[in-house]
Amino acid sequence: PRASPLRSADPPGARAPAQVRELGHSSVVVRQKSLVAARELLVVSQCRVQCIMAGCIPALVALLSDEDVVVRERAAQALQLVGANTPGCVHLLSERAITKLVGMLRDPDAVVRSAVFRALLEAAHSAIVRAELLSSIDTVLQLMRSAKEEDGDRVDLALQLLRSVLLGRQQEAAVEALVADGAIEACVDLLQGSSADPKAQEGAAWVLHLLAVPEGGKARAVASGGVQHLSKLLSSSHGGVVKASTAALMAITVSAQSKTLAAECASDPEVYGALLDSGDDELLMNVLQVVSNICENAGGRQRLQPLQPRLESMLEARGGVADVDRLSGHLGQTLRQLRFETLPYRELPAAQA
């Protein structure tokens, strides 16, 4: 008898054409089951190529508009697997799957939207997808609106996606549009409250870190209470929240206005002293930069003086030489700022006759 073309002994990917055909079946049950089978094939790299060559991407994109919720969810999950590498992302872009997924962020079903966020987040690891998302200001604004309007894990997913997009090149126009649209105020709102979700707080702080790069962003972060709320989060029990908050403060406290405010509400040496014990070099460098920034204000420098012996011992433990490595360089810079002495005159007095 003839061997079945679908038996398990067939080479990987041999089932792909048949599975792709079944994605368009008139029976919703068959479509649901074929999506499970398609996902199993897409997990295997060789089979993924065969599925793409057999036309699975346009078939999956079409299923994003299916009337059945399960079908739409599983189609998004399958597209997430396609976007696991750059070649797959190339095909997603050529078939306009990214555009369709962005439109699906308005799907009436929350489970479907979660799957769509995950698919976009996976694809956004690729620079070409980030560039595509950044090319549309409306898309970027939609991501921020989703973070404000969604609940549960979708708030975190929206913020993760927005952060990933803003890490792309030529993001200045997107940042400007987000700042003008109230994104900084929305992020500050997400930081607040003892019952706030730590994952949402972390995501909001990371996005705030990127939005506060331009001067206008810094000013709005200060005006909306960002410095006060971020300083409170430095004592959070969640490490990710603390690291993101130090990064945001690092960006904000570059401006003179924010240094004055930080000197009043974000200059507790005990808080920073506790963070120096973290053992996380990235967090340590963030903390040291924040302290350096605040020390450019005379009042802040005075309040942070108790940190000096500790920083000196840390530098001594690394050989006592600044600039040997990045962390030593940050330690040396922070100590120079702490030791700075403000002259008693705004201008040098006139020479005595």
Side-chain angles (χ1 to χ4, degrees):
R2 277 181 78 179
S4 168
L6 301 180
R7 69 181 185 178
S8 60
D10 288 326
R15 294 178 294 157
Q19 292 296 342
V20 170
R21 285 195 297 272
E22 290 192 346
L23 291 174
H25 200 280
S26 59
S27 167
V28 66
V29 175
V30 173
R31 293 199 301 276
Q32 290 176 354
K33 291 182 176 180
S34 66
L35 281 163
V36 173
R39 280 159 43 197
E40 291 175 352
L41 289 173
L42 289 168
V43 169
V44 183
S45 58
Q46 184 176 349
C47 296
R48 186 186 306 127
V49 173
Q50 296 297 327
C51 284
I52 291 174
M53 296 303 293
C56 79
I57 296 180
L60 292 170
V61 171
L63 290 178
L64 290 174
S65 300
D66 199 279
E67 62 183 15
D68 183 70
V69 170
V70 174
V71 170
R72 296 201 303 276
E73 178 194 9
R74 291 179 180 176
Q77 291 170 339
L79 288 169
Q80 178 182 347
L81 295 171
V82 175
N85 56 29
T86 299
C89 288
V90 171
H91 288 285
L92 289 178
L93 289 171
S94 66
E95 298 292 346
R96 298 190 61 78
I98 298 299
T99 301
K100 179 63 176 179
L101 285 167
V102 170
M104 292 296 292
L105 293 175
R106 300 182 180 88
D107 191 276
D109 189 89
V111 174
V112 174
R113 296 198 302 277
S114 291
V116 169
F117 274 121
R118 289 188 172 91
L120 286 169
L121 188 57
E122 182 68 47
H125 287 108
S126 171
I128 58 174
V129 173
R130 291 197 298 272
E132 173 71 12
L133 294 171
L134 266 177
S135 68
S136 169
I137 297 299
D138 287 341
T139 295
V140 176
L141 295 179
Q142 172 61 39
L143 295 179
M144 191 67 242
R145 283 194 290 270
S146 294
K148 292 190 289 185
E149 297 167 1
E150 288 283 7
D151 53 22
D153 67 334
R154 290 176 301 283
V155 177
D156 173 45
L157 291 170
L159 291 167
Q160 284 189 57
L161 181 55
L162 184 57
R163 179 194 177 197
S164 182
V165 171
L166 293 178
L167 288 172
R169 296 181 178 181
Q170 299 179 335
Q171 82 284 34
E172 293 83 1
V175 169
E176 182 179 347
L178 284 164
V179 171
D181 197 50
I184 284 181
E185 291 77 4
C187 286
V188 172
D189 286 343
L190 289 168
L191 298 176
Q192 301 180 47
S194 57
S195 61
D197 177 16
K199 295 298 294 182
Q201 289 177 322
E202 179 181 351
W206 279 122
V207 172
L208 192 53
H209 160 65
L210 297 169
L211 296 180
V213 171
E215 287 302 314
K218 291 178 177 60
R220 292 187 75 149
V222 170
S224 60
V227 174
Q228 293 93 323
H229 293 298
L230 289 166
S231 65
K232 292 177 183 177
L233 292 178
L234 295 181
S235 300
S236 170
S237 59
H238 298 270
V241 173
V242 174
K243 183 179 289 188
S245 297
T246 58
L249 280 171
M250 183 174 61
I252 296 169
T253 54
V254 170
S255 70
Q257 180 188 15
S258 62
K259 294 181 202 298
T260 301
L261 180 59
E264 298 171 358
C265 67
S267 56
D268 186 342
E270 291 187 7
V271 171
Y272 293 110
L275 295 178
L276 294 176
D277 292 324
S278 69
D280 182 327
D281 281 4
E282 182 183 352
L283 175 58
L284 283 174
M285 287 188 284
N286 287 355
V287 169
L288 292 170
Q289 187 60 60
V290 172
V291 172
S292 292
N293 290 349
I294 297 173
C295 281
E296 292 182 20
N297 175 276
R301 186 164 60 251
Q302 183 178 4
R303 293 185 184 91
L304 292 170
Q305 281 303 308
L307 291 175
Q308 186 170 326
R310 176 66 187 286
L311 295 177
E312 289 171 345
S313 65
M314 289 178 67
L315 184 58
E316 186 64 29
R318 302 182 73 85
V321 180
D323 303 326
V324 171
D325 53 35
R326 287 187 66 198
L327 184 53
S328 296
H330 278 72
L331 284 166
Q333 170 64 17
T334 306
L335 280 168
R336 285 191 290 273
Q337 293 286 59
L338 276 168
R339 293 166 179 163
F340 182 83
E341 294 183 6
T342 305
L343 293 174
Y345 305 102
R346 285 188 172 276
E347 299 179 4
L348 289 175
Q352 296 294 324

